[in-house]
Amino acid sequence: MAHHKGPGRPARRRGGQFLQLQHRGLGRRGLSDRAGGQRCGTCPGGRDRPRHFGSEAGGIVCGGQAPGGRSMSTGTPSERAAIARRLEAVGRLDDDAIPIAETALLLSALDHPTADPAKARALLEEMSLATENEAMARGLKTGVDAADADDGARDRAVLIADILHGRYGFDGDDETYDHDDNASLARVLERRRGLPVALGVLAMHLGETLGWPVVGVNFPAHFLIRVEGGMD
């Protein structure tokens, strides 16, 4: 895969690593980013996180807040309507600007209104910080520095798999594979079990955090994630 750095610059060879997120575990077989986001005063530490999207008024809405800064639950019709409006706002975004984990949590909230969104987002934040720290420990570039880095795609993919499966214990559900809980991100975060697509959402979220290109791949009978990087 070629990557061009602009007029007059030679193309640099780039590679990718696939992670196959099967129901029998992440292992080191199966994984790709969409960097961006807005600085939010309500997020922990005011960190940049790509989980904000435009409100109907054109502003930025934090994933953990309802418009006006209120904490959002999903039990009443008005609260469900508010989530629907937020999802409509997401639908108007370009694909690269969609905050994948936050969007999945909004969808999950419609089916599982008793799930704790604050707990789910806290775990996502914890995982993001752990991934950034581990990338630093392994000498892998993140954020704006990642775009021009020659870090290997395999090294990036292995780190994401190590965080999801090794450190946090996310895996497939061999016993109740077809249960709805395996498709609901809020429940997946509670149970640490889920469908390959749900585990892929988490992998893509970590890619967003790191500024690495991590994308889903349409593959017959499987869901794959492609992590891009330098040639190994």
Side-chain angles (χ1 to χ4, degrees), residues 33-37 50 93-100 208 215:
D33 159 34
R34 289 187 295 234
L93 295 175
D94 292 336
D95 287 351
D96 288 347
I98 293 175
I100 187 163
E208 289 179 343
V215 296

Side-chain angles (χ1 to χ4, degrees), residues 1-168:
M1 180 176 178
H3 174 73
H4 196 270
K5 276 297 295 172
R9 298 286 295 277
R12 184 172 61 193
R13 295 181 69 203
R14 305 289 287 177
Q17 179 72 25
F18 291 97
L19 285 181
Q20 183 176 344
L21 304 177
Q22 297 180 324
H23 71 281
R24 297 192 65 83
L26 290 168
R28 294 195 175 189
R29 290 180 298 171
L31 290 188
S32 227
D33 159 34
R34 289 187 295 234
Q38 301 287 332
R39 183 169 295 277
C40 175
T42 62
C43 288
R47 299 178 60 82
D48 288 324
R49 284 281 179 262
R51 61 179 182 180
H52 304 80
F53 50 86
S55 67
E56 291 182 311
I60 298 298
V61 178
C62 174
Q65 303 289 323
R70 299 182 304 277
S71 178
M72 176 171 273
S73 61
T74 59
T76 68
S78 62
E79 289 166 341
R80 292 174 64 83
I83 291 178
R85 288 194 296 272
R86 294 171 68 187
L87 287 169
E88 289 175 1
V90 172
R92 290 192 289 271
L93 295 175
D94 292 336
D95 287 351
D96 288 347
I98 293 175
I100 187 163
E102 176 57 31
T103 304
L105 280 180
L106 289 174
L107 292 168
S108 179
L110 294 176
D111 291 329
H112 296 89
T114 60
D116 186 347
K119 184 176 180 179
R121 292 182 178 105
L123 179 56
L124 287 174
E125 180 73 15
E126 178 186 325
M127 292 168 59
S128 296
L129 291 174
T131 306
E132 291 182 40
N133 291 336
E134 186 62 25
M136 184 181 301
R138 299 187 188 190
L140 301 176
K141 298 292 193 302
T142 63
V144 295
D145 295 329
D148 294 323
D150 288 318
D151 296 335
R154 178 178 295 276
D155 291 336
R156 291 176 172 181
V158 166
L159 184 149
I160 290 175
D162 284 348
I163 291 293
L164 286 178
H165 183 61
R167 183 172 303 188
Y168 285 93

